[in-house]
Amino acid sequence: MLRHTPYKTLQTPAEHAATDPALGLLPVWKLSDLYPSREAPEFKADMERAGTLCRDFEAKWKGRLADAAVKTGKEGLGQALTDYETLEDLLGRIGSFAGLTYFSDTSNPANGKFYGDVQSKLTDLSAHLLFFALELNRIDDAVVDAAMERDPQAGHYRPWIVDLRKDKPYQLEDKIEQLFLEKSMTSAAAFNRLFDETMAELRFEVDGEKLPLEITLNMLQEPEEPVRRKAAEALSKTFQQNIRVFTLITNTLAKDKEISDRWRGFKDIADSRHLANRVERDVVDALAAAVRDAYPRLSHRYYAMKAKWLGMEQMNFWDRNAPLPETPKALISWPDAKETVLSAYAGFAPEMADIARRFFDEEWIDAPVRSGKAPGAFAHPTVPSAHPYVLVNYMGKPRDVMTLAHELGHGVHQVLAGEQGALMAQTPLTLAETASVFGEMLTFRALLDKTKDKRERKAMLAQKVEDMINTVVRQIAFYEFERKLHTARKEGELTSEQIGELWLSVQEESLGPAIRISEGYETWWTYIPHFIHSPFYVYAYAFGDCLVNSLYAVYQNAEPGFQAKYFELLKAGGTKHHSELLAPFGLDATDPSFWSRGLSMIEGLIDELEALDKA
């Protein structure tokens, strides 16, 4: 594994790195597309310009939006919205650069200071813009509707305004909103950063070698059981040694959220997330109930089969993602991974592959595992005036190829949705996983179709089933854990042991009797970043997977014009509700059978595995 790479080196387009020669050259993203460096005149000029524009915007429009709503042209509401969008793009570019710099190496104190200073400055600047949404929502609906009809410039932003109005019941008085915004830097944002930096610094000792989180977690996919066990023991030991910090972070953020929800008047602990996702609570409740009901047919059944394949009566929790004996052991090189994903995308639509290829050709991907680099994977959209970036930690496993396909799906979605502009490009989380999971499915199906060997086919199917269980069953279990935790936190601070008990209760229920939950696993809630950064985000994965399963079934039935309708869905960004986007495909997430249909595809793959096993 590479040692720390200096920040300026990360900017060099020709700079590549690899953890294993068999992987080939792994790309490092070119952040100079945003700014040449943090000391660059362009970055400093934009910081200065942002301050001037934010203050000028406040001086021009604050207290005048009601008047602007009855005017057109440079004094009209449409111009105010256009000016606001320009500022959002500029501030987003600055924030994206600081964030991606930080995630390149969270252990570098200079990166941490840079990120913290920029976040603080952006928060100060955002305080000048805070009035805009609040004041706009206080204008009578009929007046705003008339303005959008009268002024095409204002009418362009209708989807954003309609979305904004949904926040009206939960708005607070301006001064309180400003206090919430400014205090976020010393409350939620501070504890988020503490979590990230603590996690980046953790080391897990395996056979005398101290390893970072990403590599240690990856060892849980090794073929040899002793390797998996040692990795699990190292993870449990280090999590336990740092449990007080993670317990404090979790308690603080849960309380912070409870205070915010109480002041805003949200009834349910997840309602603020549902509102942000523009999805109804009963739709999410139906999804969660359908998945819980399916536990015995999905995870319980599959893990019982896997235990038998591995020659065990019961698997230990560290065996859950162990490869089957049939799994090919050779590492997949980066060029092969690239070709696999791009060819699968091209088989669906050449335009999709063309967009994805730009991520490789124009160095928008950061692939090597590095000390201090953010763990996991993500696609960051930045802003429409720039382009997305993808982070993966590539180690040559088949799952890494699927992760690449997943994140590139996000990237393609973000490029297409960017046409909507800074205010309307962002897709609600419930649909944000659509392109990523669809990209994974395309890649999996392309590989499966090429595989004729029965043993390899079994290994591929098993891995796909596990990935789907991780995406659907595991994420709904995470959602149920969060619900239990945030509910219990209302009654008082929780001890590490109490949080561990809540964690084990949902894990035992979702994994089933074929998995032995032994000592040490009670601390594994500590490393899940979604609990910290985005409470209740996790159900979006299950939503996206079930949705894509239904969407893929439509595609398999050769629905005429499917690709064109699919691209229209992606291009819509945040301009349409999920009901509008799914209607052209004959799908309806409010229909109780919708979720059963999505889950039945996972069940069908398990049936196929069972049939292969008996053949």
Side-chain angles (χ1 to χ4, degrees):
M1 188 184 70
L2 280 185
R3 296 182 63 80
H4 165 60
T5 306
Y7 173 75
K8 288 184 179 178
T9 307
L10 292 176
Q11 304 282 324
T12 307
E15 186 70 29
H16 292 76
T19 57
D20 188 312
L23 298 181
L25 295 176
L26 299 181
V28 174
W29 53 27
K30 188 175 66 174
L31 296 185
S32 56
D33 286 357
L34 294 172
Y35 295 102
S37 75
R38 63 184 128 197
E39 300 299 332
E42 296 92 332
F43 179 77
K44 293 180 178 179
D46 270 3
M47 286 293 292
E48 186 68 30
R49 185 164 69 96
T52 301
L53 290 177
C54 286
R55 288 186 289 271
D56 289 350
F57 181 85
E58 183 180 35
K60 178 177 180 179
W61 296 110
K62 188 173 183 179
R64 297 180 175 87
L65 291 184
D67 291 338
V70 296
K71 297 177 182 177
T72 58
K74 292 186 177 180
E75 299 301 317
L77 183 61
Q79 185 62 50
L81 287 158
T82 302
D83 292 349
Y84 183 71
E85 182 171 51
T86 300
L87 280 168
E88 286 290 307
D89 192 279
L90 176 59
L91 298 180
R93 176 184 283 265
I94 292 168
S96 294
F97 179 67
L100 293 174
T101 298
Y102 174 64
F103 290 123
S104 297
D105 184 359
T106 60
S107 64
N108 184 336
N111 285 355
K113 174 176 168 48
F114 177 59
Y115 179 61
D117 288 348
V118 170
Q119 287 293 99
S120 180
K121 181 66 173 175
L122 292 179
T123 299
D124 291 343
L125 295 181
S126 296
H128 294 290
L129 309 181
L130 184 63
F131 79 92
F132 186 72
L134 301 173
E135 189 172 323
L136 184 55
N137 262 350
R138 285 198 294 267
I139 302 172
D140 187 83
D141 287 351
V143 175
V144 177
D145 287 340
M148 290 189 290
E149 290 294 330
R150 182 190 317 111
D151 183 0
Q153 191 176 7
H156 168 73
Y157 295 98
R158 180 183 296 275
W160 185 81
I161 293 172
V162 169
D163 256 3
L164 183 66
R165 284 170 168 174
K166 294 175 182 175
D167 295 330
K168 283 177 74 169
Y170 310 102
Q171 277 185 197
L172 302 173
E173 189 268 325
D174 288 19
K175 284 290 185 183
I176 298 175
E177 289 286 1
Q178 184 172 348
L179 178 64
F180 270 45
L181 175 67
E182 293 186 13
K183 287 287 286 181
S184 68
M185 285 301 299
T186 54
S187 56
F191 280 90
N192 272 262
R193 182 175 164 188
L194 175 61
F195 173 86
D196 289 338
E197 295 187 6
T198 302
M199 194 57 70
E201 289 292 328
L202 293 187
R203 290 298 176 265
F204 306 87
E205 188 169 346
V206 181
D207 288 337
E209 187 175 4
K210 294 183 178 180
L211 304 171
L213 176 66
E214 198 69 34
I215 288 180
T216 314
L217 287 172
N218 192 62
M219 293 173 72
L220 299 175
Q221 299 176 40
E222 289 296 323
E224 299 81 12
E225 191 278 339
V227 175
R228 299 194 299 269
R229 176 176 50 78
K230 288 176 183 178
E233 289 171 350
L235 288 162
S236 296
K237 180 179 179 180
T238 302
F239 292 154
Q240 183 60 50
Q241 289 171 343
N242 294 271
I243 198 73
R244 289 181 62 187
V245 174
F246 292 117
T247 300
L248 174 61
I249 292 171
T250 300
N251 271 293
T252 303
L253 289 175
K255 183 61 178 179
D256 185 76
K257 184 179 185 306
E258 186 272 326
I259 293 170
S260 177
D261 286 354
R262 175 161 39 85
W263 274 75
R264 295 187 182 282
F266 287 110
K267 299 279 192 289
D268 183 78
I269 51 177
D271 275 352
S272 58
R273 174 62 61 196
H274 302 333
L275 178 66
N277 287 348
R278 299 307 187 237
V279 65
E280 300 74 22
R281 188 200 305 171
D282 58 349
V283 172
V284 179
D285 289 347
L287 163 64
V291 175
R292 287 197 308 270
D293 290 345
Y295 285 169
R297 305 194 307 276
L298 302 179
S299 50
H300 296 188
R301 178 186 172 202
Y302 173 75
Y303 289 134
M305 291 167 58
K306 183 171 183 177
K308 184 183 69 173
W309 296 334
L310 294 178
M312 303 176 179
E313 289 187 15
Q314 192 180 34
M315 291 188 291
N316 290 296
F317 69 84
W318 55 78
D319 299 319
R320 188 171 56 83
N321 289 320
L324 298 187
E326 295 90 341
T327 303
K329 294 178 174 57
L331 292 178
I332 302 166
S333 72
W334 181 255
D336 286 347
K338 172 183 173 181
E339 174 57 27
T340 296
V341 176
L342 292 182
S343 63
Y345 277 23
F348 172 71
E351 181 184 353
M352 192 171 177
D354 289 343
I355 296 171
R357 187 174 289 106
R358 293 185 66 193
F359 283 77
F360 296 94
D361 294 346
E362 300 181 38
E363 295 171 290
W364 300 351
I365 304 175
D366 193 304
V369 177
R370 284 192 305 275
S371 179
K373 178 181 172 180
F378 62 74
H380 182 53
T382 71
V383 289
S385 65
H387 59 74
Y389 283 93
V390 161
L391 179 145
V392 294
N393 282 275
Y394 190 80
M395 287 177 271
K397 298 290 181 68
R399 275 198 173 92
D400 294 333
V401 179
M402 291 300 162
T403 298
L404 179 63
H406 180 102
E407 299 305 337
L408 284 173
H410 277 307
V412 169
H413 194 172
Q414 290 160 358
V415 168
L416 292 170
E419 299 172 7
Q420 299 295 343
L423 292 186
M424 297 183 290
Q426 186 172 346
T427 306
L429 289 181
T430 42
L431 291 169
E433 296 297 329
T434 304
S436 54
V437 178
F438 196 83
E440 266 191 271
M441 184 65 79
L442 289 172
T443 304
F444 166 70
R445 289 292 179 181
L447 288 172
L448 190 66
D449 289 345
K450 293 178 184 176
T451 305
K452 305 304 177 187
D453 181 83
K454 176 186 167 183
R455 287 171 56 82
E456 287 189 17
R457 188 177 179 86
K458 176 184 174 182
M460 283 188 65
L461 279 168
Q463 185 167 292
K464 183 59 179 174
V465 167
E466 288 180 21
D467 288 345
M468 294 172 94
I469 287 173
N470 285 338
T471 303
V472 177
V473 171
R474 183 168 167 79
Q475 300 302 327
I476 289 300
F478 283 177
Y479 176 64
E480 296 298 336
F481 167 69
E482 286 189 281
R483 291 198 64 86
K484 288 187 174 186
L485 186 146
H486 283 264
T487 299
R489 181 64 180 90
K490 288 184 176 184
E491 304 303 317
E493 191 161 311
L494 301 172
T495 65
S496 305
E497 290 75 17
Q498 287 173 315
I499 299 175
E501 288 169 7
L502 297 178
W503 169 257
L504 291 181
S505 70
V506 298
Q507 292 300 303
E508 288 167 351
E509 180 188 11
S510 63
L511 296 175
I515 303 284
R516 182 186 298 111
I517 306 292
S518 52
E519 185 178 354
Y521 193 60
E522 70 278 359
T523 63
W524 282 45
W525 54 271
T526 55
Y527 82 93
I528 310 297
H530 295 94
F531 299 159
I532 304 302
H533 296 300
S534 309
F536 302 107
Y537 176 105
V538 288
Y539 73 73
Y541 289 113
F543 194 110
D545 199 277
C546 288
L547 187 157
V548 167
N549 287 344
S550 297
L551 202 60
Y552 199 85
V554 175
Y555 169 56
Q556 283 184 309
N557 292 328
E559 182 77 13
F562 180 92
Q563 284 88 341
K565 288 188 285 188
Y566 178 73
F567 272 91
E568 287 305 308
L569 182 154
L570 300 186
K571 289 176 182 178
T575 62
K576 294 181 180 179
H577 189 261
H578 64 78
S579 59
E580 295 178 81
L581 292 171
L582 295 179
F585 304 96
L587 300 174
D588 179 6
T590 64
D591 182 349
S593 66
F594 176 81
W595 304 116
S596 299
R597 190 184 319 162
L599 295 169
S600 68
M601 178 173 283
I602 308 176
E603 197 170 356
L605 291 177
I606 298 174
D607 290 342
E608 189 174 344
L609 268 173
E610 196 168 50
L612 273 175
D613 204 34
K614 292 177 179 177

